[in-house]
Structure formats: C-alpha cells, structure tokens
Amino acid sequence: MPVVLRVNGYKFWFYEADVNEPPHVHIGKEGKEAKFWLDPIREARAGRFKPVELRDIKRIIEDNHAFLLDAWESEKSKH
C-alpha cells in the first residue's frame, strides 16, 4: 500500500491487489477512505467524506493527475 501523495492531510495510495482494475486511487484522512477513478476522474466511493471534502479531493487529483497516472503505471509494471 504505497502512499504516493500527501496533500492537506489527505493520503493517496494504491493497493497492490488492485492493479488489474482500471486506474484509480484510494484517499484517506481521519479514518475515512474514498476511491476515485483516474481516467476519467470521478468518484467511485465516497467513504464517509463530506461533499466539500470530496470536491477538495477531486481538485487535488486534477492538480496531480499526470503524476498519479504515472505512479499507477509504475506500480502496475512491478507486478
């Protein structure tokens, strides 16, 4: 479960077992966990985050989209 990005208290990571799924990222903060698809960027699971937090998460993903896709491909190539 490598954490690939930390922004504003949010952690962004991938699960090794997920590399056979389409590109996505898990996001955690304060015991909550969401999942967002990366291409196109959209919420897969809200994970108890409030709508304002989900908007923040989506903006962070948009701002780091190329980095996250590269990190996904890098993780996938390890398996």
Side-chain angles (χ1 to χ4, degrees), residues 2 5 11-12 15 22 25 31 33 38-39 44 54 74-77:
L5 183 67
K11 291 185 210 173
F12 295 76
Y15 286 112
V25 66
E33 182 180 332
L38 294 175
D39 192 23
L54 293 168
S74 176
E75 188 63 30
K76 186 175 180 176
S77 70

Side-chain angles (χ1 to χ4, degrees), residues 5-66:
L5 183 67
R6 294 174 196 265
V7 177
N8 297 337
Y10 295 104
K11 291 185 210 173
F12 295 76
W13 72 87
F14 309 120
Y15 286 112
E16 289 182 27
D18 288 354
V19 295
N20 293 324
E21 292 186 33
H24 65 277
V25 66
H26 296 266
I27 305 95
K29 184 176 183 179
E30 299 171 350
K32 298 178 262 189
E33 182 180 332
K35 177 179 176 180
F36 272 74
W37 300 110
L38 294 175
D39 192 23
I41 300 170
R42 67 190 187 285
E43 178 188 315
R45 185 177 62 246
R48 298 187 343 228
F49 281 106
K50 296 176 183 174
V52 67
E53 294 172 307
L54 293 168
R55 285 191 298 275
D56 286 343
I57 290 167
K58 186 175 183 191
R59 180 190 50 77
I60 293 166
I61 292 171
E62 290 168 348
D63 290 347
N64 294 278
H65 190 241

